[in-house]
């Protein structure tokens, strides 16, 4: 298989028999130009309605490539970002779908929409969407159990309750699978660099990796792929020391359009 980084949380995974596109938003290096010329069937996933994970541009692709299956989170339809007939499959948490080539499970998120498990050709893939311990940086505050408001996420949150929700979602994922060949997961330095002293050894208080570390503590992972950054690729590399400890391969993405062989 080959995995190509498009932008932010967008990736193309190409196997011998098919192509999977996850959370396409922008394509600064023109990755999709070549992908759309392939004769292989293509499956397009969008985890939720936020503009950095979904764009109506994906529906233009079927004008060039007829053998496309659109598998979208139901919240995209509920927020009126697409019409019901635009997608072949609409899934919410707990939903499943399969054809002769792939099997898909929609799991939960700590933001909008879903995360994805996809199995095909003997491989199991996980794309987190916006599933993450987003408020880890607040766990080291004097009052981590106090509600506050996030202007970035436009919601009121409680850091401890949010973490419990995240860990609960991981438990639900383990009911479906406990190992993955490839995991694409948010490692976004913009969400804060402090974390809880009660959770982390001294010297490892960078909260934006906490969700990723909690994930690899609970699942066997072949390749860990960071995502959900727009610039500053090297900030995501901070996760590598933790994957190294688990003997997990880590992809140090350097640029849009970069490809790794799996």
């Amino acid at each position: 298989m080959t995995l190509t980084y498009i932008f932010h949380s967008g990736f193309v995974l190409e196997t011998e028999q098919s192509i999977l596109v996850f959370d396409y938003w922008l394509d600064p290096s023109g990755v999709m130009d070549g992908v759309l010329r392939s004769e292989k069937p293509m499956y397009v996933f969008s985890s939720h309605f936020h503009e950095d994970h979904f764009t109506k541009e994906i529906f233009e692709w079927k004008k060039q490539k007829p053998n496309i299956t659109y598998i979208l989170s139901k919240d995209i339809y509920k927020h009126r970002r697409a019409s019901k007939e635009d997608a072949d499959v609409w899934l919410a948490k707990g939903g499943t779908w399969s054809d002769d080539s792939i099997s898909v499970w929609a799991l939960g998120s700590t933001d909008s929409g879903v995360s994805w498990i996809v199995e095909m050709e003997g491989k199991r893939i996980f794309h987190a969407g916006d599933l993450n311990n987003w408020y880890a940086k607040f766990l080291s505050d004097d009052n981590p159990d106090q509600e506050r408001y996030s202007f970035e996420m436009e919601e009121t949150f409680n850091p401890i309750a949010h973490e419990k929700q995240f860990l609960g979602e991981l438990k639900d994922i383990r009911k479906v699978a406990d190992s993955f060949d490839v995991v694409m997961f948010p490692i976004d330095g913009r969400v804060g660099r402090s974390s809880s002293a009660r959770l982390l050894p001294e010297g490892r208080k960078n909260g934006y990796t906490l969700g990723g570390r909690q994930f690899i503590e609970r699942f066997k992972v072949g390749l860990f792929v960071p995502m959900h950054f727009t610039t500053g690729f090297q900030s995501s590399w901070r996760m590598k020391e933790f994957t190294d400890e688990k003997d997990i391969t880590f992809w140090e993405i350097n640029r849009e359009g970069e490809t790794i062989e799996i």
Side-chain angles (χ1 to χ4, degrees), residues 38-86:
S38 172
E39 296 182 357
K40 296 178 182 179
M42 188 164 81
Y43 300 86
V44 179
F45 297 82
S46 296
S47 65
H48 61 288
F49 75 97
H50 291 168
E51 65 176 7
D52 58 339
H53 291 259
F54 167 76
T55 172
K56 289 185 178 181
E57 183 182 339
I58 61 175
F59 302 130
E60 297 296 315
W61 297 343
K62 57 188 172 185
K63 296 177 181 178
Q64 301 173 246
K65 187 174 177 60
N67 54 344
I68 297 181
T69 301
Y70 293 95
I71 305 170
L72 307 186
S73 169
K74 279 187 177 180
D75 75 306
I76 295 171
Y77 171 65
K78 289 179 180 178
H79 283 84
R80 300 181 180 180
R81 301 301 170 89
S83 301
K84 196 166 186 178
E85 60 271 17
D86 286 329

Side-chain angles (χ1 to χ4, degrees), residues 107 117 167-180 215 217-220:
L107 281 303
I117 294 176
L167 297 179
E169 297 295 352
L170 298 189
K171 286 183 180 179
D172 288 343
I173 294 168
R174 279 188 61 89
K175 294 174 184 177
V176 178
D178 62 3
S179 63
F180 299 98
F215 190 95
E217 287 288 341
R218 290 160 174 80
F219 297 90
K220 182 178 179 181

Side-chain angles (χ1 to χ4, degrees), residues 80-140:
R80 300 181 180 180
R81 301 301 170 89
S83 301
K84 196 166 186 178
E85 60 271 17
D86 286 329
D88 301 281
V89 183
W90 293 101
L91 293 178
K93 180 183 177 180
T96 63
W97 179 84
S98 63
D99 65 6
D100 292 338
S101 299
I102 71 171
S103 296
V104 180
W105 290 259
L107 281 303
S109 177
T110 45
D111 196 354
S112 295
V114 301
S115 52
W116 301 112
I117 294 176
V118 182
E119 288 187 358
M120 77 292 180
E121 301 173 39
K123 302 293 183 183
R124 184 182 294 139
I125 311 301
F126 182 76
H127 187 286
D130 263 357
L131 172 68
N132 196 6
N133 191 345
W134 291 111
Y135 298 120
K137 68 178 180 179
F138 296 102
L139 293 172
S140 60

Side-chain angles (χ1 to χ4, degrees), residues 8-9 11 110 115 126-134 166 170 173 182-188 208-216 219 221 223-229 236 239 250 253:
H8 192 58
S9 298
F11 293 88
T110 45
S115 52
F126 182 76
H127 187 286
D130 263 357
L131 172 68
N132 196 6
N133 191 345
W134 291 111
F166 172 68
L170 298 189
I173 294 168
V182 180
V183 168
M184 291 160 273
F185 195 93
I187 303 294
D188 187 340
Y208 68 95
T209 66
L210 181 57
R213 284 179 279 132
Q214 290 170 323
F215 190 95
I216 64 174
F219 297 90
V221 177
L223 172 67
F224 189 99
V225 181
M227 67 178 190
H228 207 277
F229 42 79
S236 70
M239 184 68 191
F250 180 83
I253 299 174

